Amino acid sequence: MNAEIIAVGTELLLGQIANTNGQHISSRLANHGVNVYKHTVVGDNKKRIQQAIIEARKHHDLIIFTGGLGPTEDDLTREALSELIQVPLIYDEAALEHVEQFFSSSGRTVSEANKKQALTFEGADVFHNHAGLACGSALEHEGVLYCLLPGPPREMRMMVERELEPYLATMNTSGNFFESRVLRFYGIGESSLEAKLQDLISAQTNPTIAPLAGEDEVTLRLTVTETNTARAKALLDETEREIYARVGKYLYGFDNDSLYSKALEELARTKSTIATAESITGGGLATSLTSIKGASQVVVGGFVTYSNDAKVSQLGVRQETIDAYGAVSEQCAKQMAEGVRDRCGSTMGIALTGVAGPDELEGHPVGTLFIGIADGNETAVFKRVLSGTRETIRRRAAKEACHVLLLQKKKGD
């Protein structure tokens, strides 16, 4: 089936909330051999919803709606579709009982507006709402399958998992499914990566190869269409090997990996602990590392030493070092890394000092970064020059530190 997802809600158009529902539904449909060709967002207006349906059914045989099933006057998805395809709305007895029980349990009477959440189409399959009140529906009409899901993300996700996916599974008689693998690269730009893989991308059939530019990094999404899990894996593995042979030195992870999660994984694997000393990033590295589950097994602690006095008093950087070389220097980064390692009792210390901007500092241009890594009795310092705005440089500095850390740990193997 070829699908379009229509998200209904004026709040989406106003930018008050993000359309995460469309993203989630697309990711789940791939497991059932459904090609999602288009996402549409439309406001709470009956005529505009109907116009979106008219356009969608010209090209797609599956239209999935999310939103507009609630009790208020501007919840119009059911009414718009019913009027357009001339299929009446009726109360589903089980859905109505579900709504009534919810209100009676708190001693309240169900209003006519709330009963509206139990409406479905005559002849439709009804999706039970496991996390809310508004039921969903699936109705096939004149060669098009319409599926209606609630808008609140928790309700939508549960209905997709427990109702929509089992329903679609019964319709996928071919057994086709999509399986994707995301390859994550750092230290190479999108155009450079594409250039090195151009012949593979041009000749792609199954799997397909899709380059995607991310925040400070590049990803490749490999997608295979198959009916057999083992064959799908073999095809993905073969394509991955071809890519790795050319650009493997930039590959750091897969799927939901991040530089931060991979750094923690590598530290845990080598039974290392780490402490952070940050100036340019203002604690951004420690924040990103400790936001990951399990970080407490690896991250001991850290210091944010933004001023020179703090570097001296808290980390033990020598005043003569700052006087002679400056705070933005190889020498300062080295002493920061060693100082935080010794004070926190970790096996490793990592330090970042540099110039985020908007002005140069100590004669160094904006974007200058020194990363110190004290590992055991050895300390290495790496210099980088980053580009971008002040916030971009700060963000990239933390990622660059993780990348250098990864390379150092792998180099030690």
Side-chain angles (χ1 to χ4, degrees):
M1 290 185 286
N2 300 323
E4 178 170 339
I5 299 170
I6 300 179
V8 180
T10 302
E11 66 276 13
L12 297 168
L13 295 174
L14 293 175
Q16 294 171 339
I17 63 171
N19 182 24
T20 57
N21 284 1
Q23 178 187 27
H24 181 76
I25 295 168
S26 283
S27 69
R28 303 310 305 167
L29 292 180
N31 297 326
H32 303 280
V34 177
N35 295 295
V36 178
Y37 283 169
K38 190 175 181 181
H39 281 217
T40 297
V41 178
V42 63
D44 299 306
N45 179 285
K46 186 187 291 185
K47 288 188 176 180
R48 292 175 197 159
I49 295 171
Q50 290 174 339
Q51 289 170 354
I53 297 169
I54 291 169
E55 185 62 30
R57 67 187 184 185
K58 291 178 183 177
H59 310 286
H60 310 108
D61 48 18
L62 172 59
I63 302 174
I64 297 180
F65 302 86
T66 174
L69 304 184
T72 63
E73 290 185 6
D74 62 354
D75 288 310
L76 298 167
T77 303
R78 277 178 299 237
E79 290 78 358
L81 180 58
S82 172
E83 184 179 292
L84 182 66
I85 65 175
Q86 293 295 293
V87 174
L89 292 172
I90 60 172
Y91 286 110
D92 177 75
E93 291 184 9
L96 184 58
E97 183 180 355
H98 177 61
V99 173
E100 290 173 338
Q101 285 181 347
F102 174 82
F103 282 92
S104 65
S105 64
S106 58
R108 293 179 291 167
T109 303
V110 183
S111 66
E112 290 301 316
N114 278 300
K115 286 183 180 180
K116 175 183 170 183
Q117 295 176 97
L119 285 172
T120 187
F121 301 91
E122 189 174 77
D125 291 293
V126 179
F127 294 156
H128 177 65
N129 192 328
H130 299 268
L133 296 181
C135 68
S137 305
L139 176 70
E140 189 165 2
H141 180 77
E142 295 182 353
V144 178
L145 177 61
Y146 300 94
C147 295
L148 283 70
L149 306 173
R154 183 168 176 270
E155 297 180 30
M156 179 279 303
R157 286 171 180 261
M158 199 166 289
M159 190 174 289
V160 167
E161 177 185 341
R162 299 190 184 184
E163 302 288 334
L164 178 64
E165 290 196 73
Y167 180 83
L168 292 176
T170 64
M171 305 186 70
N172 185 8
T173 55
S174 69
N176 281 342
F177 63 89
F178 301 119
E179 185 167 331
S180 293
R181 182 181 301 173
V182 176
L183 279 57
R184 297 190 172 277
F185 300 85
Y186 186 84
I188 186 171
E190 182 182 15
S191 59
S192 297
L193 185 69
E194 283 194 52
K196 293 179 182 295
L197 303 174
Q198 188 57 58
D199 58 318
L200 294 180
I201 294 172
S202 298
Q204 62 180 318
T205 52
N206 192 33
T208 58
I209 306 171
L212 305 167
E215 193 173 67
D216 312 318
E217 57 186 79
V218 186
T219 61
L220 288 178
R221 187 187 67 242
L222 313 182
T223 304
V224 65
T225 304
E226 252 299 339
T227 58
N228 179 277
T229 302
R231 284 198 302 267
K233 182 180 183 302
L235 287 168
L236 290 171
D237 288 346
E238 181 182 353
T239 304
E240 181 189 316
R241 282 193 295 270
E242 291 185 73
I243 293 170
Y244 187 85
R246 303 187 189 189
V247 290
K249 67 178 181 178
Y250 302 105
L251 178 68
Y252 78 82
F254 301 88
D255 297 325
N256 295 320
D257 288 337
S258 70
L259 284 166
Y260 303 109
S261 68
K262 293 302 291 184
L264 289 178
E265 183 181 305
E266 192 65 19
L267 288 166
R269 186 186 68 81
T270 56
K271 295 180 171 57
S272 304
T273 57
I274 197 165
T276 59
E278 301 181 65
S279 181
I280 181 174
T281 44
L285 174 59
T287 298
S288 296
L289 288 172
T290 55
S291 67
I292 298 170
K293 183 179 178 181
S296 61
Q297 303 301 311
V298 171
V299 181
V300 175
F303 292 81
V304 176
T305 52
Y306 217 57
S307 71
N308 291 348
D309 287 344
K311 292 178 177 67
V312 173
S313 63
Q314 296 180 34
L315 296 176
V317 175
R318 292 189 291 274
Q319 184 63 53
E320 53 266 33
T321 298
I322 292 178
D323 293 340
Y325 303 104
V328 182
S329 65
E330 176 183 346
Q331 293 80 0
C332 184
K334 178 178 184 294
Q335 291 178 21
M336 287 173 66
E338 292 170 348
V340 77
R341 176 201 60 194
D342 295 344
R343 280 158 172 74
C344 290
S346 55
T347 62
M348 297 182 66
I350 187 167
L352 298 91
T353 181
V355 187
D359 303 313
E360 65 175 32
L361 180 65
E362 300 177 351
H364 296 287
V366 172
T368 301
L369 171 68
F370 288 95
I371 303 166
I373 297 180
D375 189 357
N377 297 319
E378 296 184 2
T379 303
V381 179
F382 305 85
K383 182 181 179 181
R384 300 287 188 267
V385 180
L386 309 176
S387 61
T389 64
R390 176 179 171 81
E391 286 309 308
T392 300
I393 289 169
R394 283 159 55 91
R395 184 186 70 235
R396 288 178 176 171
K399 288 189 174 182
E400 189 67 34
C402 276
H403 188 239
V404 169
L405 180 62
L406 272 173
L407 294 178
Q408 284 298 101
K409 296 304 289 181
K410 290 180 180 178
K411 182 180 177 182
D413 287 348

